[in-house]
Short mmCIF file of all heavy atoms in Angstrom, two decimals:
data_model
loop_
_atom_site.label_atom_id
_atom_site.label_comp_id
_atom_site.label_asym_id
_atom_site.label_seq_id
_atom_site.Cartn_x
_atom_site.Cartn_y
_atom_site.Cartn_z
N THR R 392 70.43 112.47 28.48
CA THR R 392 71.00 113.81 28.37
C THR R 392 71.45 114.31 29.74
O THR R 392 70.73 114.15 30.73
CB THR R 392 69.95 114.78 27.79
OG1 THR R 392 69.54 114.30 26.50
CG2 THR R 392 70.50 116.17 27.64
N GLY R 393 72.64 114.87 29.78
CA GLY R 393 73.16 115.45 31.01
C GLY R 393 74.05 114.52 31.82
O GLY R 393 74.77 114.98 32.71
N ARG R 394 74.02 113.25 31.53
CA ARG R 394 74.84 112.31 32.30
C ARG R 394 76.29 112.32 31.79
O ARG R 394 76.55 112.61 30.63
CB ARG R 394 74.28 110.90 32.20
CG ARG R 394 72.97 110.72 32.93
CD ARG R 394 72.61 109.26 33.06
NE ARG R 394 71.35 109.08 33.78
CZ ARG R 394 71.29 108.89 35.08
NH1 ARG R 394 72.39 108.85 35.81
NH2 ARG R 394 70.12 108.72 35.66
N GLN R 395 77.20 111.99 32.68
CA GLN R 395 78.60 111.84 32.29
C GLN R 395 78.82 110.42 31.79
O GLN R 395 78.33 109.45 32.38
CB GLN R 395 79.52 112.11 33.48
CG GLN R 395 81.01 112.05 33.11
CD GLN R 395 81.92 112.32 34.29
OE1 GLN R 395 82.15 111.44 35.12
NE2 GLN R 395 82.43 113.54 34.37
N VAL R 396 79.54 110.32 30.69
CA VAL R 396 79.81 109.01 30.09
C VAL R 396 81.30 108.90 29.81
O VAL R 396 81.92 109.87 29.35
CB VAL R 396 79.04 108.85 28.76
CG1 VAL R 396 79.41 107.54 28.07
CG2 VAL R 396 77.54 108.95 28.98
N THR R 397 81.86 107.75 30.08
CA THR R 397 83.26 107.50 29.74
C THR R 397 83.37 106.27 28.86
O THR R 397 82.84 105.20 29.21
CB THR R 397 84.13 107.32 30.99
OG1 THR R 397 84.12 108.54 31.75
CG2 THR R 397 85.57 106.99 30.61
N LEU R 398 84.03 106.43 27.73
CA LEU R 398 84.32 105.33 26.82
C LEU R 398 85.79 104.96 26.98
O LEU R 398 86.66 105.83 26.93
CB LEU R 398 84.04 105.75 25.38
CG LEU R 398 82.64 106.28 25.10
CD1 LEU R 398 82.50 106.68 23.63
CD2 LEU R 398 81.57 105.27 25.48
N ALA R 399 86.02 103.67 27.16
CA ALA R 399 87.39 103.20 27.40
C ALA R 399 88.05 102.75 26.10
O ALA R 399 87.40 102.22 25.20
CB ALA R 399 87.39 102.06 28.40
N CYS R 400 89.36 102.96 26.03
CA CYS R 400 90.17 102.49 24.92
C CYS R 400 91.49 101.97 25.47
O CYS R 400 92.18 102.69 26.21
CB CYS R 400 90.43 103.61 23.92
SG CYS R 400 91.54 103.13 22.57
N HIS R 401 91.83 100.73 25.12
CA HIS R 401 93.04 100.09 25.63
C HIS R 401 93.78 99.44 24.48
O HIS R 401 93.19 98.67 23.73
CB HIS R 401 92.66 99.04 26.68
CG HIS R 401 93.83 98.30 27.26
ND1 HIS R 401 94.62 98.83 28.26
CD2 HIS R 401 94.35 97.08 26.96
CE1 HIS R 401 95.57 97.97 28.57
NE2 HIS R 401 95.43 96.90 27.80
N GLN R 402 95.07 99.77 24.34
CA GLN R 402 95.85 99.16 23.26
C GLN R 402 97.10 98.48 23.82
O GLN R 402 97.71 98.96 24.79
CB GLN R 402 96.23 100.21 22.20
CG GLN R 402 96.93 101.45 22.71
CD GLN R 402 98.43 101.47 22.54
OE1 GLN R 402 99.02 100.52 22.01
NE2 GLN R 402 99.06 102.55 22.99
N THR R 403 97.44 97.38 23.19
CA THR R 403 98.61 96.61 23.64
C THR R 403 99.72 96.65 22.58
O THR R 403 100.60 95.80 22.58
CB THR R 403 98.22 95.15 23.95
OG1 THR R 403 97.63 94.56 22.78
CG2 THR R 403 97.23 95.10 25.10
N TRP R 404 99.65 97.63 21.67
CA TRP R 404 100.68 97.81 20.65
C TRP R 404 101.88 98.56 21.21
O TRP R 404 102.91 98.66 20.54
CB TRP R 404 100.12 98.61 19.47
CG TRP R 404 99.08 97.90 18.68
CD1 TRP R 404 97.73 98.04 18.79
CD2 TRP R 404 99.29 96.96 17.63
NE1 TRP R 404 97.09 97.24 17.89
CE2 TRP R 404 98.01 96.57 17.17
CE3 TRP R 404 100.43 96.41 17.04
CZ2 TRP R 404 97.84 95.65 16.14
CZ3 TRP R 404 100.27 95.50 16.02
CH2 TRP R 404 98.98 95.13 15.59
N ASN R 405 101.74 99.18 22.39
CA ASN R 405 102.77 100.04 22.94
C ASN R 405 103.00 101.26 22.04
O ASN R 405 104.12 101.78 21.93
CB ASN R 405 104.09 99.29 23.14
CG ASN R 405 105.02 100.00 24.11
OD1 ASN R 405 104.55 100.64 25.05
ND2 ASN R 405 106.32 99.93 23.87
N HIS R 406 101.92 101.72 21.41
CA HIS R 406 101.99 102.89 20.54
C HIS R 406 101.96 104.18 21.36
O HIS R 406 101.23 104.29 22.34
CB HIS R 406 100.80 102.91 19.56
CG HIS R 406 100.94 101.95 18.44
ND1 HIS R 406 99.87 101.52 17.70
CD2 HIS R 406 102.03 101.35 17.91
CE1 HIS R 406 100.29 100.69 16.76
NE2 HIS R 406 101.60 100.56 16.87
N ASN R 407 102.72 105.16 20.91
CA ASN R 407 102.68 106.46 21.58
C ASN R 407 101.43 107.25 21.22
O ASN R 407 100.90 107.98 22.04
CB ASN R 407 103.92 107.28 21.20
CG ASN R 407 105.16 106.78 21.91
OD1 ASN R 407 105.09 106.25 23.01
ND2 ASN R 407 106.30 106.95 21.27
N ASN R 408 101.01 107.16 19.95
CA ASN R 408 99.91 108.00 19.47
C ASN R 408 98.57 107.29 19.62
O ASN R 408 98.42 106.13 19.23
CB ASN R 408 100.12 108.34 17.99
CG ASN R 408 101.41 109.06 17.73
OD1 ASN R 408 102.00 109.65 18.64
ND2 ASN R 408 101.86 109.03 16.49
N MET R 409 97.61 108.01 20.19
CA MET R 409 96.25 107.49 20.30
C MET R 409 95.26 108.57 19.90
O MET R 409 95.52 109.77 20.13
CB MET R 409 95.96 106.98 21.72
CG MET R 409 96.80 105.77 22.10
SD MET R 409 96.37 105.08 23.71
CE MET R 409 94.79 104.28 23.35
N PHE R 410 94.16 108.16 19.31
CA PHE R 410 93.19 109.09 18.74
C PHE R 410 91.77 108.64 19.07
O PHE R 410 91.49 107.44 19.17
CB PHE R 410 93.33 109.12 17.21
CG PHE R 410 94.72 109.36 16.71
CD1 PHE R 410 95.63 108.31 16.58
CD2 PHE R 410 95.14 110.64 16.35
CE1 PHE R 410 96.92 108.53 16.12
CE2 PHE R 410 96.43 110.87 15.89
CZ PHE R 410 97.31 109.81 15.78
N TRP R 411 90.88 109.61 19.17
CA TRP R 411 89.45 109.34 19.23
C TRP R 411 88.77 110.04 18.06
O TRP R 411 88.99 111.24 17.83
CB TRP R 411 88.83 109.85 20.53
CG TRP R 411 88.90 108.88 21.66
CD1 TRP R 411 89.75 108.90 22.72
CD2 TRP R 411 88.07 107.73 21.84
NE1 TRP R 411 89.51 107.84 23.55
CE2 TRP R 411 88.48 107.11 23.04
CE3 TRP R 411 87.02 107.16 21.11
CZ2 TRP R 411 87.88 105.95 23.52
CZ3 TRP R 411 86.43 106.01 21.59
CH2 TRP R 411 86.85 105.41 22.79
N TYR R 412 87.96 109.26 17.32
CA TYR R 412 87.16 109.79 16.22
C TYR R 412 85.69 109.48 16.50
O TYR R 412 85.36 108.52 17.17
CB TYR R 412 87.53 109.10 14.90
CG TYR R 412 88.88 109.45 14.33
CD1 TYR R 412 90.02 108.74 14.69
CD2 TYR R 412 89.01 110.49 13.40
CE1 TYR R 412 91.25 109.05 14.14
CE2 TYR R 412 90.25 110.80 12.86
CZ TYR R 412 91.36 110.08 13.24
OH TYR R 412 92.58 110.38 12.70
N ARG R 413 84.83 110.30 15.92
CA ARG R 413 83.41 109.95 15.86
C ARG R 413 83.01 109.82 14.41
O ARG R 413 83.56 110.51 13.53
CB ARG R 413 82.53 110.97 16.58
CG ARG R 413 82.55 112.37 16.04
CD ARG R 413 81.58 113.28 16.81
NE ARG R 413 80.18 113.00 16.48
CZ ARG R 413 79.14 113.58 17.07
NH1 ARG R 413 79.33 114.49 18.02
NH2 ARG R 413 77.90 113.28 16.70
N GLN R 414 82.09 108.91 14.15
CA GLN R 414 81.65 108.67 12.77
C GLN R 414 80.15 108.83 12.70
O GLN R 414 79.39 108.13 13.37
CB GLN R 414 82.06 107.27 12.30
CG GLN R 414 81.79 107.04 10.82
CD GLN R 414 82.38 105.74 10.33
OE1 GLN R 414 82.36 104.72 11.01
NE2 GLN R 414 82.95 105.76 9.12
N ASP R 415 79.73 109.74 11.84
CA ASP R 415 78.31 110.02 11.61
C ASP R 415 78.04 109.97 10.13
O ASP R 415 78.90 110.31 9.32
CB ASP R 415 77.95 111.41 12.15
CG ASP R 415 78.32 111.59 13.60
OD1 ASP R 415 77.61 111.02 14.43
OD2 ASP R 415 79.31 112.28 13.89
N LEU R 416 76.83 109.58 9.78
CA LEU R 416 76.45 109.48 8.38
C LEU R 416 76.66 110.83 7.69
O LEU R 416 76.21 111.85 8.19
CB LEU R 416 74.98 109.06 8.29
CG LEU R 416 74.53 108.44 6.96
CD1 LEU R 416 75.30 107.19 6.68
CD2 LEU R 416 73.04 108.18 6.98
N GLY R 417 77.36 110.80 6.59
CA GLY R 417 77.58 112.02 5.82
C GLY R 417 78.76 112.84 6.27
O GLY R 417 79.17 113.77 5.57
#
Side-chain angles (χ1 to χ4, degrees):
Chain R
T392 301
R394 291 192 179 267
Q395 183 180 79
V396 175
T397 296
L398 305 179
C400 176
H401 179 80
Q402 53 100 0
T403 58
W404 292 98
N405 199 34
H406 284 160
N407 285 330
N408 301 340
M409 295 185 73
F410 308 85
W411 273 103
Y412 289 89
R413 62 178 287 176
Q414 188 171 39
D415 305 286
L416 201 61

